[in-house]
Amino acid sequence: MAPHRARPPLTEPGGPAGPAGGAGRRDGIFALSTAPGRAAIAVIRLSGPGSGEALDRLTGGRRPPPRRFSRRRLVDAQGGTLDDAVVVWLPSAAAGPKAGARQAAASYTGEDMAELQVHGGPAVLRGLLGALSALPGFRPAEPGEFTRRAFESGRIDLLEAEAVADLVAAETETQRRQALAGSRGALSARLGGWEETLLQVSARVEATIDFADEELPADLWQLCRRQIAGLQGELEAAVAEVSLGERLRQGFEVALVGAPNAGKSSLLNALARREVAIVHEVAGTTRDVVEVRLELGGLPVTLLDTAGLRDDPRDPVEREGMRRARARAAAADLVLALFDGDIWPAVDPITLDLVDDRCIPVITKGDRTDPGRVAVAGRGGVVVSAVTGQGLGGLEARLAERLGQLWGAPNEGLFSRERHRAALADCAGCLAEALAAPEPGLAAEDLRRARAALGRLVGRFDVERLLDRIFGEFCIGK
Ligand SMILES: Nc1nc2c(ncn2[C@@H]2O[C@H](COP(=O)(O)OP(=O)(O)OP(=O)(O)O)[C@@H](O)[C@H]2O)c(=O)[nH]1
Ligand SMILES: [Mg+2]
């Protein structure tokens, strides 16, 4: 679906929407949209009805032609030069033969916008942001406010807005693909299909009520029930998929467990390719759970290093560490159960007891283990050495394969938030009630509620309550 289709605006232009709404003309906003710090180029964006005049002031009256990169000297209110920059003027209405006709807004926010590509040094930015603050009617943007305005002007729906936040946060290839699909309307399209079916079935149910005495196909109500049941099944599948979507956003958890000194922290560091956790010959070094984010097979992974497990630790801190280790391992998607290569093929019974189908057994310290003994006892385990790097590639491949199985190959455009789960489950629940309704008249009301639940997902109902939560997740400048 095209990302830039027009939708009816949800709030009146210039109305009291947005965190800094007020009567009359809407505030102009500006923000540094690139990361702060030193860079060759930094991008500052402006949005709001006063953006054109702001650009006039900043360029000393030389507003560039629309949608053309133009080199301009940027000046402050006293005419002093701030920077030599590339400037783009993005009026909300597209020019051309159709100008003046009702058409899709031609900027990200749906308002007049400008982008300044400036030298990315702290002093340049301070000067420019200061000059922008001094512009009448302009203020710094809140986090996510540009995207919020895009939503409020009807250019994108809430699902697309959330996907924009995910795209900015994406760290791995799979996250990027999913978020990009969502920002281009993949989730909205799935939702649109359900809404279409729901509308059709609602109309049929209403017909059985309104025209009960007239000639209607005898099995119309039965047909409706079949359609409702089909839709309910699809929604329940979508609810089930949310946990996968959440995993993708938050990362799959892989816990390392084993006896003290089994080599957990060494393996964590080797997989992370940096010294994250303390490694020491003292047994019981690690107490807290140490987390590292990695990408494996295109998926985000959080590796968890944990306290070594042993019988009866005296130290209360170590005991607490072990409690946390067990809890995190129980909740993890996959577990690497580490067996100390130094004592192999003897195995630590506590770790052995934890082995289940989420586990990959790992024999550590391969550089010190007799290869003959390891070969005999391989049994699907991977032999690694944190010292020589032996087996690490194989372990990563095994992990990527297992994660790939957990991930499956879902649709592009996964529902991934608790908010989605609640609305989809609510809709599925209403459909279940419609199916259980003794007569079409009662089912019609359930179907109306089901439609409202779907509408909430794209932001057509209950909007205000949601907005601050959703847009608060964003970076400033997006
Ligand atoms: N030769 C060799 N020594 C290793 C290897 N991995 C770990 N060690 C040594 O084993 C000892 C314990 O390593 P750690 O990584 O701290 O073990 P741990 O499982 O995190 O231990 P706790 O945090 O105490 O539970 C250290 O002296 C490491 O240098 C390895 O692959 N080869
Ligand atoms: Mg450790």
Side-chain angles (χ1 to χ4, degrees):
M1 195 173 283
H4 291 156
R5 64 198 174 281
R7 290 206 183 80
L10 288 148
T11 51
E12 291 295 311
R25 184 156 140 156
R26 196 166 189 182
D27 280 352
I29 53 172
F30 64 88
L32 174 65
S33 288
T34 41
R38 227 165 65 183
I41 306 284
V43 175
I44 295 173
R45 297 210 290 183
L46 283 72
S47 181
S51 298
E53 288 97 317
L55 206 49
D56 290 342
R57 284 176 180 243
L58 285 166
T59 56
R62 296 184 62 220
R63 190 192 306 190
R67 278 165 255 287
R68 292 265 180 83
F69 282 75
S70 311
R71 188 170 165 190
R72 288 289 183 277
R73 195 168 61 92
L74 299 182
V75 295
D76 61 20
Q78 290 72 44
T81 303
L82 290 163
D83 195 16
D84 193 3
V86 169
V87 171
V88 193
W89 162 231
L90 299 162
S92 65
K98 282 198 276 174
R102 188 178 147 72
Q103 57 188 296
S107 77
Y108 181 69
T109 56
E111 302 176 319
D112 286 349
M113 290 186 74
E115 280 192 21
L116 315 175
Q117 301 194 358
V118 302
H119 292 99
V124 174
L125 293 175
R126 229 182 350 264
L128 276 164
L129 294 171
L132 287 167
S133 300
L135 289 173
F138 271 80
R139 62 170 171 80
E142 309 275 340
E145 198 171 357
F146 288 89
T147 306
R148 181 174 182 148
R149 289 188 173 193
F151 165 71
E152 285 171 350
S153 69
R155 284 180 46 73
I156 58 173
D157 65 32
L158 270 190
L159 290 168
E160 290 161 337
E162 286 169 328
V164 170
D166 289 344
L167 191 55
V168 173
E171 287 172 332
T172 73
E173 181 56 19
T174 315
Q175 286 174 321
R176 181 189 67 77
R177 274 209 310 273
Q178 281 290 338
L180 189 62
S183 71
R184 295 179 61 82
L187 280 88
S188 314
R190 291 178 71 191
L191 195 82
W194 292 326
E195 284 189 311
E196 196 55 41
T197 311
L198 199 50
L199 214 57
Q200 191 187 48
V201 76
S202 298
R204 286 178 174 167
V205 170
E206 305 276 356
T208 64
I209 306 165
D210 294 346
F211 305 106
D213 304 333
E214 300 177 32
E215 296 232 336
L216 286 171
D219 58 351
L220 189 57
W221 174 229
Q222 282 317 315
L223 176 72
C224 290
R225 287 174 54 89
R226 273 201 300 281
Q227 260 187 311
I228 296 171
L231 195 55
Q232 187 199 356
E234 286 184 39
L235 281 155
E236 277 166 3
V239 171
E241 147 198 312
V242 174
S243 51
L244 203 55
E246 277 174 334
R247 272 284 173 270
L248 184 65
R249 292 182 55 240
Q250 287 156 14
F252 290 83
E253 284 194 349
V254 177
L256 280 68
V257 296
N261 268 352
K264 301 176 293 300
S265 301
S266 304
L267 181 58
L268 179 92
N269 292 348
L271 290 171
R273 293 175 177 79
R274 60 196 170 94
E275 297 297 307
V276 186
I278 300 174
V279 167
H280 203 277
E281 63 195 25
V282 170
T285 304
T286 306
R287 304 292 179 84
D288 286 315
V289 176
V290 179
E291 304 191 2
V292 197
R293 299 271 293 181
L294 299 177
E295 172 169 357
L296 279 173
L299 293 168
V301 173
T302 306
L303 277 185
L304 309 173
D305 180 22
T306 62
L309 302 173
R310 61 175 154 193
D311 278 329
D312 223 8
R314 299 264 160 73
D315 183 343
V317 180
E318 186 178 359
R319 205 158 42 235
E320 173 59 18
M322 285 173 53
R323 189 193 65 73
R324 292 181 187 200
R326 284 181 181 279
R328 294 298 293 272
D333 297 291
L334 290 176
V335 174
L336 297 182
L338 270 61
F339 296 99
D340 193 336
D342 259 347
I343 60 165
W344 184 267
V347 289
D348 149 46
I350 299 178
T351 307
L352 192 62
D353 201 41
L354 288 177
V355 173
D356 60 19
D357 17 314
R358 290 174 307 139
C359 271
I360 301 175
V362 178
I363 299 143
T364 59
K365 308 182 190 175
D367 55 302
R368 292 234 290 253
T369 318
D370 171 0
R373 285 194 298 168
V374 169
V376 174
R379 285 190 314 206
V382 182
V383 183
V384 299
S385 166
V387 171
T388 65
Q390 168 199 346
L392 291 179
L395 177 59
E396 281 170 346
R398 277 284 289 282
L399 269 172
E401 185 193 323
R402 294 285 293 271
L403 289 166
Q405 288 163 1
L406 289 178
W407 172 240
N411 297 320
E412 292 233 319
L414 269 184
F415 292 98
S416 62
R417 287 173 157 79
E418 191 48 45
R419 179 181 94 75
H420 305 163
R421 191 200 314 273
L424 293 167
D426 190 13
C427 181
C430 293
L431 294 176
E433 283 169 33
L435 278 178
E439 42 120 356
L442 294 170
E445 176 52 27
D446 296 324
L447 293 176
R448 267 193 290 277
R449 286 191 296 119
R451 286 210 306 279
L454 287 189
R456 272 208 306 280
L457 272 178
V458 279
R460 272 199 291 279
F461 301 94
D462 278 356
V463 172
E464 281 308 319
R465 204 159 49 91
L466 277 170
L467 295 186
D468 290 336
R469 268 253 308 282
I470 291 172
F471 291 101
E473 286 176 22
F474 275 80
C475 322
I476 291 177
K478 189 64 209 175

